[in-house]
Amino acid sequence: MEKTIAVVGAGLIGRAWAMVFARAGWRVRLTDHAASQLDAARAFMAASLEEQAAFGLTADPADALSRIDCVPDLEAAVAKAAWVQENLPETEAVKREVFAALDRCAAPDAVLASSTSAIPASRFTEGLPGRARCLVAHPVNPPLLVPIVELCGPPWTAPAAIARALAVYAEVGQVPIVVRRELDGFILNRLQGALLSEAMRLVGEGYVSPDDLDKTIRDGLGLRWAFLGPFATIELNAPGGVVDYCARYSDFFRRLAADPPRPDVWEGVNAARVGEALGPLLSQDEREARTRWRDRRLMALIAHKRQQPDFK
Ligand SMILES: NC(=O)c1ccc[n+]([C@@H]2O[C@H](COP(=O)([O-])OP(=O)(O)OC[C@H]3O[C@@H](n4cnc5c(N)ncnc54)[C@H](O)[C@@H]3O)[C@@H](O)[C@H]2O)c1
């Protein structure tokens, strides 16, 4: 039987989720309170699915698009959906209000997932009768090309809801991981934050130019990280694996950890330095062209990764 998802919010993230599920054969009901957003999403999805087909990421773009219905009314969109993915603006009040509505309207066995980047679900689901079926499923932009999804529930989320989420996101081609306890920034943004704070310090203290710092990731660490996580990377960097690596190199990492970047690395002067090095602010057209270029490169990389068996 065809499965149905309600995707709530048709902005950047909602329209990407709609494509992820439609590509995988789900029926999608995409809803937004702004009719203009639904129109813009439909045009964007039509073009994006065609482009994805050119990279072999979806077999039949017209068929995928035909599975997506734009439904202006939230209640109608959510009724009978087996899964709900919420993608409204990132404020606690908005999340609290929409989750109360979703819990009232959704079928009793539907799971309610939020794409929130940083608001733990305990802050907007505590008082709901159906709070056991609520969780965060945090994607990375754009989820149709970057498959990681961080699953994180408050203490009252039913283990069965997390288990279903693991199965559903894997089935539609994503890579779900479980964040075992709620914490600020989940996992991905804590890792990104650690790297960016150090990058701001290195640039701020004049050790390296912003451009050379970008090269260090793009043509250095990032190349391996497309295939191996940081632990799997260091496993290969010493003959005796991770334990040997730590024995050889941890003195340096200990010194570094004892002297972390301070919050003031985020103050305007460093941001201005990086901004200046990146050149004049892109026009809207240039920004869109650069985003499309990024997405095409990601499509090629994802297509390549899908053809490679994992090394086990
Ligand atoms: N943009 C990112 O990089 C990114 C990455 C991961 C997670 N997220 C999270 O995803 C969520 C959505 O972010 P986005 O970037 O797609 O935002 P966005 O501003 O692009 O989209 C939000 C959409 O919600 C609609 N909306 C607002 N209030 C509404 C309401 N009451 N009812 C129906 N529709 C309503 C708006 O019209 C808009 O289309 C946020 O929680 C954000 O933190 C964003």
Side-chain angles (χ1 to χ4, degrees):
M1 201 186 69
E2 200 173 41
K3 286 166 280 192
T4 301
I5 179 171
V7 175
V8 179
L12 214 53
I13 298 299
R15 58 187 73 173
W17 274 127
M19 288 187 273
V20 167
F21 280 82
R23 275 187 325 200
W26 284 54
R27 181 146 283 280
V28 178
R29 290 163 176 269
L30 178 62
T31 187
D32 199 287
H33 68 176
S36 58
Q37 282 291 80
L38 289 175
D39 292 344
R42 181 155 282 282
F44 177 84
M45 293 185 300
S48 174
L49 285 164
E50 286 294 339
E51 211 158 38
Q52 291 170 54
F55 286 90
L57 300 182
T58 183
D60 189 339
D63 188 47
L65 193 65
S66 75
R67 276 193 290 274
I68 304 174
D69 294 314
C70 291
V71 181
D73 181 61
L74 178 86
E75 202 167 325
V78 167
K80 300 195 185 135
W83 206 263
V84 179
Q85 185 83 37
E86 170 276 318
N87 316 277
L88 298 192
E90 184 76 348
T91 73
E92 212 172 299
V94 168
K95 304 290 187 201
R96 189 171 300 117
E97 194 183 327
V98 73
F99 265 75
L102 295 176
D103 196 35
R104 269 196 314 276
C105 308
D109 57 351
V111 167
L112 311 181
S114 173
S115 293
T116 174
S117 303
I119 310 175
S122 54
R123 300 222 206 111
F124 54 89
T125 63
E126 183 168 14
L128 300 179
R131 65 184 194 167
R133 50 148 157 191
C134 298
L135 51 92
V136 167
H138 171 233
V140 173
N141 185 37
L144 70 143
L145 300 175
V146 183
I148 195 78
V149 187
E150 301 185 277
L151 304 178
C152 183
W156 48 80
T157 302
I162 299 281
R164 273 179 75 193
L166 280 169
V168 163
Y169 291 107
E171 180 213 317
V172 297
Q174 302 300 98
V175 177
I177 64 152
V178 176
V179 182
R180 292 178 176 161
R181 281 198 309 282
E182 288 190 321
L183 87 169
D184 205 17
F186 306 121
I187 305 301
L188 184 139
N189 276 322
R190 292 181 78 94
L191 294 174
Q192 178 164 237
L195 186 83
L196 281 173
S197 291
E198 185 64 32
M200 285 290 190
R201 165 165 57 187
L202 292 171
V203 167
E205 293 181 8
Y207 289 103
V208 68
S209 70
D211 190 41
D212 280 356
L213 190 129
D214 266 356
K215 284 180 192 158
T216 310
I217 299 300
R218 188 185 68 209
D219 299 308
L221 290 171
L223 276 179
R224 292 187 303 212
W225 284 349
F227 297 93
L228 297 169
F231 290 143
T233 295
I234 64 171
E235 171 72 6
L236 296 180
N237 283 357
V242 170
V243 172
D244 183 21
Y245 182 94
C246 291
R248 289 170 186 237
Y249 302 114
S250 64
D251 277 354
F252 159 68
F253 289 115
R254 273 175 224 265
R255 287 199 304 281
L256 202 61
D259 177 26
R262 284 195 241 289
D264 64 13
V265 299
W266 286 98
E267 275 167 20
V269 53
N270 279 346
R273 216 171 257 143
V274 175
E276 195 183 328
L278 290 179
L281 205 57
L282 298 179
S283 69
Q284 186 61 19
D285 284 354
E286 287 168 330
R287 175 171 294 276
E288 280 169 15
R290 192 164 173 79
T291 304
R292 282 200 303 278
W293 169 80
R294 176 201 68 187
D295 286 357
R296 283 196 303 277
R297 298 318 337 135
L298 279 171
M299 285 177 203
L301 182 56
I302 285 287
H304 173 66
K305 279 178 65 118
R306 283 192 187 168
Q307 287 157 11
Q308 310 308 309
D310 277 351
F311 186 87
K312 295 268 188 240

